[in-house]
Amino acid sequence: MSTKPDSEADALSTRAAKAAERRTAIIEAALDEFTARGFAATRIDDIAKRAGVAKGTIYLHFTDKEAMFQELVRTALVPKLQSLTAEPAPGTSVRQMLEVFADTFLRDVAQTRRGDIVRLVMAEGTRFPSLAEFHYRNVVEPGIAGIGRILEIGVARGEISVAALARFPQLAIAPVLLSVIWQGLFGRFAPLDVQAMLRTHLDLIFGERTES
Amino acid sequence: MSTKPDSEADALSTRAAKAAERRTAIIEAALDEFTARGFAATRIDDIAKRAGVAKGTIYLHFTDKEAMFQELVRTALVPKLQSLTAEPAPGTSVRQMLEVFADTFLRDVAQTRRGDIVRLVMAEGTRFPSLAEFHYRNVVEPGIAGIGRILEIGVARGEISVAALARFPQLAIAPVLLSVIWQGLFGRFAPLDVQAMLRTHLDLIFGERTES
DNA sequence: GTATTATGACTGACTGGTCAGTCATCGTCA
DNA sequence: TGACGATGACTGACCAGTCAGTCATAATAC
């Protein structure tokens, strides 16, 4: 692909390179605008302005607004999922695995623009069923399955005493989801100590008695 | 109010009654449209058609689209909150109190149009900060406080062994919120046994060991 | 009780503005 | 020089909000 004397590959230095740059700029700008305003209220003109590009250029890369929206939102989360579902080193306790998961999530999702994207999916998912389903298949289901595997290990090892928890990995995820929502909607005037909350949640799962 | 020979009161039979009917019809229709399409994509014409009313009539009741949206969404949830925060009969165990809360929530919110409204607030809250703040003050904060009080009793009585839980009532709410989101986005193709999940969550809180 | 007038709720065609998507033209690179 | 990427003015559709006119009902007169 790289050494083939293809006209496209030859142009890599200037033409294709600039095209790729432009595409990236458009994607960045579009994500900013879509997360800030939602699908319907976002203007293509604004995306173009923010990307430093004319409106027509956008239509060289995407067929229409809806296609652009779906393509962007789809690809924005999937790559990062691997780092979350990565198998942990053997010999770690299940509690540590979940702690790593929570920390990674906080660092890579909740505190970055990816958090906005999660909110965006929740906001627009009803109006774009195919988008919701795509996220279920590619983000939610694998995520749930990964957590489920960890929980099963916890139950098998006796670290987790509520065996039914493995049937509902959603319970382990719920506080993380709540954090994303909370920070987006209320964080400005009612900040939440997410880290401490998630630690408490782990105490709950692992049945550690604590004094206040 | 009913016997006063007021011109307004006199007209209650026909004129004012019809006006009230109309207003209700508009509110119903507007909630349907807004929850189905979101704020920006909802057309006033469609609300009018659905309410069986001319467009101009809507502007006799609401100053503009945004005012209507905010007023509707604001008032739609507040009244029902009382039934959720109602003090339970003394002598009930904390677990029972939370069970009642969960059941009431499922019956009155998750499985009704109120669930759509919760989703709507989450979806549009970012774009209507005053709406988010209103909901925080009038729905979230009282709700959190109510659950917090129950949890404190649980800690004091020794029913709950993780004392820090009382600092984060959000942890008790999180699965309920997740249920609403899940059913709205994925319920169609990946239904979730919410009742069983919430029961498991209570097992977690009350440290009941269970076998699968 | 009946006729006449006054009221204001209701209507929907219309306006002004916005915005997605197009395309004739231009500029640039191989 | 020829080809193709980029441009932005333009078009047509769409829609929030308006307002002059209609009509059912209430108030008043007789």
Side-chain angles (χ1 to χ4, degrees):
Chain A
M1 189 222 265
S2 56
T3 52
K4 200 170 30 143
D6 195 354
S7 61
E8 284 170 19
D10 285 357
L12 247 180
S13 46
T14 49
R15 225 151 151 135
K18 280 218 166 162
E21 255 174 52
R22 287 232 144 101
R23 191 167 216 280
T24 315
I26 292 171
I27 290 175
E28 287 289 306
L31 280 179
D32 283 348
E33 294 288 329
F34 279 134
T35 54
R37 299 191 216 298
F39 175 77
T42 291
R43 288 177 294 265
I44 298 284
D45 282 302
D46 288 353
I47 296 176
K49 196 171 293 173
R50 184 185 281 254
V53 144
K55 179 153 63 154
T57 307
I58 288 178
Y59 288 91
L60 299 174
H61 293 271
F62 302 93
T63 59
D64 63 7
K65 191 185 176 188
E66 194 170 319
M68 173 166 58
F69 176 72
Q70 298 221 29
E71 185 178 335
L72 295 186
V73 178
R74 285 155 99 114
T75 53
L77 281 183
V78 177
K80 215 61 193 182
L81 185 70
Q82 270 83 41
S83 76
L84 277 175
T85 329
E87 292 297 321
T92 27
S93 74
V94 170
R95 165 134 198 171
Q96 280 169 328
M97 295 181 201
L98 289 183
E99 262 165 14
V100 167
F101 173 86
D103 289 346
T104 311
F105 188 92
L106 282 185
R107 191 163 25 82
D108 286 3
V109 179
Q111 290 162 2
T112 68
R113 234 206 0 232
R114 265 179 278 275
D116 295 319
I117 295 168
V118 172
R119 276 190 290 276
L120 192 60
V121 171
M122 292 193 312
E124 307 284 356
T126 324
R127 265 147 265 147
F128 294 95
S130 74
L131 186 68
E133 188 153 354
F134 177 88
H135 267 82
Y136 179 74
R137 302 272 173 239
N138 294 280
V139 181
V140 177
E141 197 165 51
I144 294 281
I147 299 288
R149 254 175 278 127
I150 295 180
L151 293 175
E152 264 164 23
I153 298 173
V155 171
R157 287 192 194 162
E159 287 186 57
I160 293 172
S161 58
V162 177
L165 181 57
R167 278 179 52 220
F168 296 111
Q170 289 89 346
L171 286 175
I173 306 274
V176 157
L177 189 67
L178 180 136
S179 302
V180 172
I181 299 167
W182 187 285
Q183 299 295 6
L185 288 188
F186 314 132
R188 197 167 29 84
F189 47 83
L192 180 64
D193 184 346
V194 174
Q195 194 135 29
M197 187 181 80
L198 293 184
R199 231 176 292 126
T200 304
H201 183 234
L202 288 176
D203 289 343
L204 223 55
I205 291 179
F206 292 96
E208 329 262 11
R209 328 184 124 260
T210 63
E211 318 297 322
S212 77
Chain B
M1 188 227 263
S2 58
T3 52
K4 194 163 44 134
D6 193 355
S7 63
E8 282 172 20
D10 284 359
L12 245 182
S13 46
T14 52
R15 220 149 153 140
K18 281 219 166 161
E21 253 174 52
R22 286 238 144 97
R23 192 168 215 279
T24 314
I26 292 171
I27 289 175
E28 287 289 306
L31 280 179
D32 283 348
E33 294 288 329
F34 279 133
T35 54
R37 296 190 218 298
F39 175 77
T42 291
R43 288 176 294 265
I44 298 285
D45 282 300
D46 287 352
I47 296 176
K49 196 171 294 173
R50 184 185 280 254
V53 143
K55 179 151 66 153
T57 307
I58 289 177
Y59 288 91
L60 299 174
H61 292 271
F62 303 93
T63 59
D64 63 7
K65 191 185 175 187
E66 193 170 320
M68 173 166 60
F69 175 72
Q70 298 223 28
E71 186 179 334
L72 295 187
V73 178
R74 283 156 99 115
T75 53
L77 281 183
V78 177
K80 215 61 194 181
L81 186 69
Q82 271 85 43
S83 76
L84 277 175
T85 330
E87 292 297 320
T92 27
S93 75
V94 169
R95 164 134 198 171
Q96 279 168 329
M97 294 181 202
L98 290 182
E99 264 166 13
V100 167
F101 173 86
D103 288 347
T104 312
F105 188 92
L106 281 185
R107 192 165 22 82
D108 286 3
V109 179
Q111 290 162 1
T112 67
R113 239 211 349 236
R114 266 181 278 274
D116 295 319
I117 295 168
V118 172
R119 275 190 290 276
L120 192 60
V121 171
M122 292 193 311
E124 306 284 355
T126 324
R127 266 147 263 148
F128 295 93
S130 73
L131 185 68
E133 189 154 354
F134 176 87
H135 266 83
Y136 180 74
R137 303 272 173 240
N138 294 280
V139 180
V140 178
E141 197 166 49
I144 294 281
I147 298 288
R149 254 175 277 126
I150 295 179
L151 293 175
E152 264 163 24
I153 296 173
V155 171
R157 287 190 191 163
E159 287 186 56
I160 294 173
S161 58
V162 177
L165 181 57
R167 280 177 52 217
F168 296 111
Q170 289 89 348
L171 286 175
I173 306 275
V176 157
L177 190 67
L178 180 137
S179 303
V180 173
I181 298 168
W182 188 285
Q183 298 295 7
L185 289 188
F186 314 132
R188 195 167 30 85
F189 48 82
L192 181 63
D193 185 346
V194 174
Q195 195 135 28
M197 187 181 79
L198 293 183
R199 231 176 291 125
T200 305
H201 184 233
L202 288 177
D203 288 343
L204 223 54
I205 291 179
F206 293 96
E208 330 262 11
R209 330 186 124 260
T210 63
E211 317 297 323
S212 76

